[in-house]
Amino acid sequence: MTEDAPATGLTELLARRFLTTDEARAEKVARWHERGRRTARENIADLVDAGSFVEYGRFVTAAQEQRRPLAELVVEAPADGIVGGTATIDGRPCAVLSYDYLVMAGTQGMRGHRKSDRLIELVRRMGLPTVFFTEGGGGRPGDTDLPLVSALDVGSFALWGELEGVVPRIAVVSGRCFAGNAVLAGCADLRVATPDANLGMAGPAMIAGGGLGQFAAEEIGPVAEQAANGVIDVVVEDEEEAVAVVRRLLGYLAGPVPGGAAADPAALRTLLPANDREAFDVRPVVEALADADSVTWLREAWAPELVTAFARIEGLPLGVVANQSTHLAGALTADASAKAADFLGLCERWGLPVVSLVDTPGFMVGPDAERTGLVRQAARMVNAGARLSVPLVGVVLRRGYGLGAQAMLGGSTHRPLLTVAWPDAHLGPMGLEGAVRLAMARELAALPEDEREDTVARHTAELRTHASALNAARVFEIDDVVDPAETRGVVAATLRAAG
């Protein structure tokens, strides 16, 4: 071996490494930038701590040497269109993967699958939270170098699915995300999407091939639809904001931090309307309870009668679920029940305590409600709350009626570690006026018609006194009645006591 042999090998290494970088495809990158987009490597570089990324499989090429020159594949198909490895984000270990849309439209090659198999397996072994940028067109049909018939023995989907409850997984969706790429996004715990994203189980070619019609990519699973049906958890302005949101979401996993600033707690005394039949936006209540700038809303466009969010209270990370009376008076629909069940399950997997803010007349009822599968979804919500092992704290803001209120509290007012109510709250087995009409049906029928409503009003007022929070506390159906201004401190103290 000559003295300059190592240098020659190093020269080849550095040259080949350069060909895997964005600098080696400047024209493609420039065109991508003109569309307002960032490359896979740019998104990863923005997400992870500088110098922390350890890449796997950068020299992999597409398995197409039987139909294309190897030199061409080295230049045109770097990393087989998927960049991945380990890194740190804000000093905490993680894994990150990203399909590269500038390589064959981010399609999933067979060697790329081997790489994702390897990385996902390592994620499990190392216990790493994982971020996956999933843009791409699904399986790639053009790989020729491996003996294939169905390619259904690919491991990535099962390996990725097995990680539920093992490590946190966040998918970022921008541009076109179809077929296998969409499945990987859908299997994640959370999905963050940009407005230009389309997310679907099949792209235009597969739809047309199945004889189902001709559709443009933009028509398939646009963000507005996928946010309204609960597929997308957070909609952001662009990839830069997506990265910032991912950092924030992962930050909740870091545990307690020094207590953050908050609004004047006394403001909580004035956020509910004097008329308890008047709707109000519960989000300012959540923000007033939480540390300043710590709230991240999830699935805002789906089932808006229920609000879900991550936040911090006195530095403690937690999930918040709250009824939203501006939509359907805060009644729990099938979609709201599914949203709650999903969110409670996510908090359980991520080890985050839950604060439940109750203001509901109960479950939405009636023939139309039942046609939506309400019983099934309501039961999912009850099961999810009852099975929580993370701390749960309940706060009845105004109305806590019936099975809906119980579901918001894990199945019972005594299921949470602490259940408190605000002074003007009322609790009952059903809405107060409805309870009067049901209990007095025979008596009301016997009264002259012009006396019935006055009778209902009088007995409803009497029942309101009986159903008051203080009366519920007197018989120990709830643990305490608190000044709204005390709520932050009470919640934080309970969660600290829970360890």
Side-chain angles (χ1 to χ4, degrees):
M1 181 179 293
T2 62
E3 291 185 2
D4 64 347
T8 301
L10 179 59
T11 299
E12 181 181 4
L13 165 65
L14 295 178
R16 287 287 298 275
R17 181 178 290 179
F18 173 76
L19 292 176
T20 69
T21 67
D22 287 344
E23 289 77 7
R25 51 182 185 175
E27 291 185 6
K28 283 185 178 180
V29 171
R31 290 194 296 270
W32 199 236
H33 287 171
E34 287 172 3
R35 296 172 59 177
R37 298 299 309 283
R38 303 200 303 188
T39 68
R41 292 188 179 278
E42 287 172 331
N43 279 324
I44 291 174
D46 188 25
L47 175 65
V48 307
D49 299 338
S52 71
F53 186 51
V54 177
E55 185 170 351
Y56 286 65
R58 75 165 77 229
F59 296 121
V60 172
T61 56
Q64 297 186 4
E65 292 172 44
Q66 294 183 26
R67 55 196 293 260
R68 301 174 66 180
L70 176 58
E72 178 183 320
L73 292 171
V74 168
V75 173
E76 297 296 327
D80 199 20
I82 180 169
V83 182
T86 63
T88 61
I89 296 175
D90 294 330
R92 296 183 295 276
C94 70
V96 58
L97 299 91
S98 178
Y99 286 103
D100 183 348
Y101 201 79
L102 298 184
V103 176
M104 303 181 192
T107 49
Q108 298 170 327
M110 296 311 298
R111 288 180 182 152
H113 271 308
R114 289 185 64 191
K115 188 195 301 190
S116 57
D117 289 356
R118 165 76 166 152
L119 284 165
I120 295 169
E121 182 187 22
L122 289 174
V123 162
R124 186 184 187 101
R125 288 164 59 185
M126 300 170 75
L128 299 175
T130 304
V131 181
F132 208 144
F133 295 82
T134 58
E135 178 178 15
R140 183 191 306 155
D143 286 2
T144 57
D145 300 348
L146 302 174
L148 297 174
V149 177
S150 70
L152 299 180
D153 57 344
V154 166
S156 296
F157 305 110
L159 292 169
W160 183 240
E162 286 176 354
L163 292 180
E164 181 172 270
V166 177
V167 298
R169 301 163 302 159
I170 300 174
V172 179
V173 184
S174 53
R176 309 290 178 254
C177 183
F178 297 133
N181 296 62
V183 169
L184 293 173
C187 287
D189 296 308
L190 291 171
R191 284 152 296 282
V192 180
T194 58
D196 67 335
N198 290 84
L199 185 64
M201 292 300 293
M206 188 179 295
I207 294 171
L212 299 175
Q214 300 288 335
F215 297 93
E218 293 79 8
E219 297 178 88
I220 304 167
V223 160
E225 294 178 1
Q226 299 287 36
N229 64 24
V231 170
I232 301 300
D233 295 279
V234 184
V235 179
V236 294
E237 289 295 324
D238 51 29
E239 289 166 294
E240 181 179 1
E241 186 182 359
V243 166
V245 167
V246 168
R247 280 179 168 271
R248 183 173 192 161
L249 291 169
L250 292 175
Y252 295 113
L253 300 172
V257 299
D264 179 2
L268 288 163
R269 297 171 179 159
T270 62
L271 290 180
L272 272 57
N275 178 0
D276 65 6
R277 299 176 70 91
E278 181 181 337
F280 72 96
D281 187 351
V282 76
R283 289 172 299 179
V285 175
V286 175
E287 290 172 339
L289 282 171
D291 297 348
D293 300 320
S294 74
V295 179
T296 302
W297 305 106
L298 302 177
R299 293 184 169 183
E300 286 189 272
W302 183 46
E305 59 273 15
L306 188 84
V307 166
T308 53
F310 290 141
R312 288 182 182 272
I313 293 180
E314 294 191 7
L316 301 170
L318 47 84
V320 178
V321 59
N323 304 113
Q324 176 63 289
S325 63
T326 58
H327 294 269
L328 302 176
L332 289 167
T333 61
D335 279 351
S337 300
K339 181 177 179 178
D342 289 350
F343 182 70
L344 294 173
L346 175 61
C347 290
E348 177 74 6
R349 294 195 301 273
W350 283 23
L352 293 175
V354 178
V355 174
S356 179
L357 305 180
V358 183
D359 178 30
T360 183
F363 283 106
M364 182 65 72
V365 294
D368 288 343
E370 300 303 347
R371 293 186 188 102
T372 65
L374 175 62
V375 170
R376 175 167 48 87
Q377 299 300 347
R380 279 191 65 219
M381 179 181 177
V382 171
N383 285 344
R387 296 180 64 186
L388 284 178
S389 64
V390 296
L392 171 65
V393 174
V395 182
V396 182
L397 302 181
R398 190 171 61 164
R399 300 165 303 159
Y401 296 145
L403 289 168
Q406 287 178 272
M408 290 292 293
L409 296 168
S412 161
T413 55
H414 284 171
R415 186 69 181 182
L417 296 183
L418 178 74
T419 300
V420 300
W422 284 4
D424 293 324
H426 294 84
L427 298 89
M430 62 185 298
L432 301 183
E433 183 178 318
V436 168
R437 292 184 185 277
L438 181 63
M440 298 185 62
R442 182 175 298 179
E443 292 88 340
L444 291 171
L447 290 174
E449 187 172 346
D450 59 354
E451 296 181 18
R452 293 173 187 168
E453 292 308 311
D454 287 343
T455 301
V456 168
R458 184 174 71 256
H459 283 274
T460 299
E462 293 171 358
L463 186 58
R464 281 179 61 82
T465 300
H466 179 73
S468 71
L470 284 170
N471 211 33
R474 181 182 65 81
V475 298
F476 201 46
E477 292 181 348
I478 58 175
D479 297 306
D480 200 4
V481 180
V482 300
D483 178 346
E486 300 170 335
T487 309
R488 266 177 57 86
V490 166
V491 168
T494 302
L495 296 183
R496 290 194 183 97

